């Protein structure tokens, strides 16, 4: 395509993609299918790959930014990010009335006194339990996004925030030219639960609550991982604004959606203390139905002119306060403790409860984690227990009301309860030394087969349609599927005829058994066909190898071109050996204080062995160095993958894949990132940007990252290039003194277009 045509088509595609994005995320009225959206995105990516000089920082392709960062750069907030003062909690019996909610009244009366007025309009909105972010839009363009940090300086998390499709990369015309807008990033409850189920199935530790999951995600240096996590954002306040003035919090709240920025949906005005109490109480109920976690009510003075008048302490403004809700707790009876067998064979005790309504949903089950947890809380069958939803999401047994315990209730003993056998297959259970969990050691345990199957088809794995709990169970139970790969042998009439359990009717009677049906069966078969083309990392993750999570799978796929290459990998054993030999070397070292040599002869012998090991480690490390293996695949994960391919199960898998003609190809194969140069990675190397350039720094940063380079904050001897604009100062001087190549904007453009670096 001619450059001019390409430019025109690229801007057309960008506008179209952002419009569909808005329709989907803001208006909830999508006009095109996901597949059509992906096709448009694919076309734009192709144009930008051919003409890197046409890339713009607000291009929707930039939502998943290039190479992982080495660290986050600091960002100074233009206006400090303060926190909000907490006011006293309402005790349960006082919600909806009562007159001893002192904290709130105090707060209210204090500013009425300060202002000498008693007719002050307030607003009430949910306090979202997420992670605070500040976004700067300059001339409508997202310049950066930063965490709160210490309130005055945060981390630059622009790459990560851009992956959130709800965040506009460009604001519509008419937006304030300088707009520092603030909000809360969060993970919706449903998405959080799904993520945790998948992590659990993958043998990865679950996140405690959505806020932790969000914070952990935003700390990722690789925006590719962030893009797989379903984050969302709600905006609620502002920092520096130039070119616009808001009279009230209400006006600001109403303006947000017109700029394409999501505001909270629940928002109330309160004219006096009575209305304020009523609104807080209403929110206390309503928040349980929100799709995200909230932990309080934020109360603000509506009139913005009063904010300056009220001022702030060093920590928080006097025009706002946060009213904290306490998690709701309920008592119920523990009817039984059942045992679940996980994908890796771990036996998990689950509390079966007399159903109770807690924080908006009916809770009938809660995990008891393991025997140690049960013993610590002394939970016994028949006990009256207190339950709450941890982080308002995951039901948890908080404690036992010992006084209500029926007489002669024995302590709970997991081993005894299952008679020492796996409740699913009857194998004798085992407990690894130093571990609290009991496991079923049988690889072919049917219960494991079901969880493995569900994992295999999970959204972050091979994304199979219609492979829910009930279907996975029936497929295994009917004998149609044993190992996940058997799925590829499923055929039409039989699959559609699969009988599922009858639906439970209201009255408790059962309806007729249901068929899986043609429609769902067709969808599942189609998704299996798609799975054949899924990239290597998804397959490696889907196979459910213990200790191999999503990031290890991704790094493994960077190092291997095809599935068959992983099976015969020369790299993985090196990673394992390097670490194993290094441990031996340390152990055997004559200078090991915890194991000193017996005498001089021993010392000499050990020195010799030590030097031999050291040479081997050095040689292995030198072989591995050009691959720049990330810590995502350490000796544990590398060893787990190698051991899998060396096991019967692994060999069977390789043979079965070959029979099926499936040899997944890596989507991110790049085993020599450092050595890669030339046309493929025109901007590889470490860059520092300084001075005034024709575009925001972020623009150049994206170009460099897309061109295979890294961007650092300061010039050092590791810097390869300094991109220097007008009025470059100390960084230029330092680069010159260190002999770092200095590139001006024109030369940079030529490099980005593929010309060799001027030396
Ligand atoms: S307004 C001066 N509104 O809670 C601060 N903040 O502990 C003005 N938060 O840092 C912020 N939901 O990140 C505001 N509806 C809401 C909020 C909210 C959550 C966070 C915010 C703030 C923290 C204060």
């Amino acid at each position: 395509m001619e450059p001019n045509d390409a430019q025109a088509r690229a801007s057309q595609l960008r506008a179209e993609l952002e419009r569909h994005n808005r329709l989907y995320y803001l208006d909830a009225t999508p006009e095109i299918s996901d597949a059509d959206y992906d096709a448009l995105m694919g076309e734009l990516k192709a144009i930008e790959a051919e003409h890197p000089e046409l890339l713009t920082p607000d291009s929707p392709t930039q939502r998943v930014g290039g190479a992982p960062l080495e660290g986050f750069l600091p960002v100074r907030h233009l206006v400090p990010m303060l926190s909000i003062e907490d006011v006293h909690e309402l005790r349960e019996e006082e919600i909806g009335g009562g007159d001893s909610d002192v904290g709130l009244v105090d707060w209210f009366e204090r500013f009425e006194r300060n202002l000498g007025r008693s007719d002050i309009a307030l607003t009430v909105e949910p306090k979202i339990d997420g992670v605070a972010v500040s976004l700067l839009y300059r001339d409508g363009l997202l310049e950066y996004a930063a965490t709160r940090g210490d309130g005055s300086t945060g981390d630059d998390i622009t790459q990560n925030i851009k992956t959130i499709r709800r965040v506009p990369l460009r604001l519509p015309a008419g937006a304030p030219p300088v707009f520092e807008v603030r909000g809360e990033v969060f993970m919706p409850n449903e998405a959080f639960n799904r993520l945790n189920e998948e992590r659990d199935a993958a043998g990865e530790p679950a996140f405690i609550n959505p806020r932790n999951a969000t914070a952990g995600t935003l700390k990722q240096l690789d925006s590719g991982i962030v893009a797989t996590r379903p984050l969302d954002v709600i905006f609620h306040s502002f920092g520096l604004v130039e070119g616009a003035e808001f009279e009230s919090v209400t006006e600001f709240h109403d303006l947000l959606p017109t700029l394409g920025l999501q505001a909270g949906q629940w928002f109330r005005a309160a004219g006096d203390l009575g209305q304020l109490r009523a609104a807080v109480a209403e929110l206390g109920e309503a928040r349980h139905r929100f799709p995200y976690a909230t932990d309080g009510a934020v109360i603000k003075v509506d009139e913005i002119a009063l904010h300056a008048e009220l001022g702030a302490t060093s920590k928080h403004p006097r025009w706002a306060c946060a009213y904290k809700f306490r998690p709701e707790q309920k008592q119920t009876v523990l009817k039984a403790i059942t045992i679940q067998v996980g994908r890796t064979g771990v036996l998990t005790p689950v509390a079966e409860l007399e159903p109770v309504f807690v924080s908006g949903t009916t809770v009938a089950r809660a995990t008891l984690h393991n025997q140690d947890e049960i013993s610590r809380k002394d939970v016994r069958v028949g006990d009256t227990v207190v339950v709450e939803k941890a982080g308002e999401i995951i039901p948890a047994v908080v404690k036992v009301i010992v006084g209500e315990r029926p007489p002669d209730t024995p302590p709970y003993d997991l081993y005894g309860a299952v008679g020492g056998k796996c409740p699913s297959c009857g194998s004798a259970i085992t407990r690894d030394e130093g571990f609290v969990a009991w496991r079923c050691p049988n690889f072919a345990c049917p219960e494991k087969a079901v969880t493995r199957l569900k994992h295999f088809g999970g959204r972050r794995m091979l994304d199979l349609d219609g492979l829910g709990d009930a279907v996975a169970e029936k497929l295994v139970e009917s004998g149609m599927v044993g190992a996940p790969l058997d799925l590829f042998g499923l055929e039409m009439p039989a699959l559609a005829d699969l009988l599922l359990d009858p639906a439970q009717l209201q009255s408790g009677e059962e309806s007729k058994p249901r068929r899986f049906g043609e429609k769902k069966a067709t969808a599942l078969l189609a998704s299996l066909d798609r799975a054949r083309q899924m990239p290597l990392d998804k397959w490696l993750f889907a196979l459910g190898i213990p200790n191999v999570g999503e990031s290890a799978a991704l790094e493994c796929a960077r190092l291997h071109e095809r599935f068959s290459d992983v099976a015969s990998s020369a790299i993985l054993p090196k990673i394992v050996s390097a670490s194993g030999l290094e441990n031996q070397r340390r152990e055997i070292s004559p200078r090991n204080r915890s194991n000193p040599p017996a005498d001089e002869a021993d010392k000499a012998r050990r020195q010799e062995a030590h030097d031999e090991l050291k040479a081997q480690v050095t040689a292995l490390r030198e072989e591995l160095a050009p691959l720049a293996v990330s810590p995502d695949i350490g000796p544990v994960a590398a060893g787990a993958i190698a051991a899998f391919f060396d096991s019967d199960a692994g060999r069977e898998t390789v043979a079965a894949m070959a029979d099926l003609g499936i040899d997944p190809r890596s989507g991110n194969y790049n085993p020599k990132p450092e050595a890669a140069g030339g046309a493929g990675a025109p901007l590889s190397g470490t860059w520092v940007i300084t001075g005034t350039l024709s575009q925001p720094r972020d623009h150049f940063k994206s170009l460099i990252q897309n061109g295979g380079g890294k961007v650092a904050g300061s010039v050092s001897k590791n810097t390869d290039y300094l991109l220097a604009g007008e009025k470059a100062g100390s960084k230029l001087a330092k680069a010159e003194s260190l002999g770092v190549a200095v590139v001006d904007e024109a030369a940079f453009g030529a490099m980005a277009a593929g010309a060799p670096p001027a030396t």
Side-chain angles (χ1 to χ4, degrees), residues 210-291:
R211 183 169 39 73
N212 266 305
T214 307
T217 301
L218 290 179
K219 281 201 196 104
Q220 291 280 346
L221 292 169
D222 183 351
S223 65
I225 294 178
V226 182
T228 68
R229 304 264 176 88
L231 296 180
D232 201 344
V233 63
I234 285 180
F235 295 97
H236 52 55
S237 53
F238 56 86
L240 184 67
V241 179
E242 283 173 13
E245 259 179 71
F246 317 116
E247 295 218 336
S248 66
V249 170
T250 308
E251 183 193 326
F252 173 75
H253 175 86
D254 293 344
L255 173 85
L256 286 168
T258 69
L259 296 177
L261 298 163
Q262 175 169 242
Q265 267 157 26
W266 197 100
F267 189 86
R268 297 281 183 278
D272 58 40
L273 198 52
Q275 288 176 2
L276 177 60
R277 280 213 193 106
V280 170
E282 187 194 337
L283 178 58
E285 285 303 314
R287 73 193 192 96
H288 297 309
R289 293 185 292 277
F290 296 169

Side-chain angles (χ1 to χ4, degrees), residues 635-650:
V636 174
I641 299 173
F644 171 77
F645 283 106
D646 201 29
S647 71
D648 288 344

Side-chain angles (χ1 to χ4, degrees), residues 17 163 238 350 357 373 514 526 530 533 539 584 596 682 717:
L17 282 160
T163 67
F238 56 86
V350 179
F357 195 70
E373 261 310 281
R514 301 165 290 149
R530 283 198 299 276
Q533 308 305 325
W539 272 91
Q584 277 183 42
K717 63 177 180 1

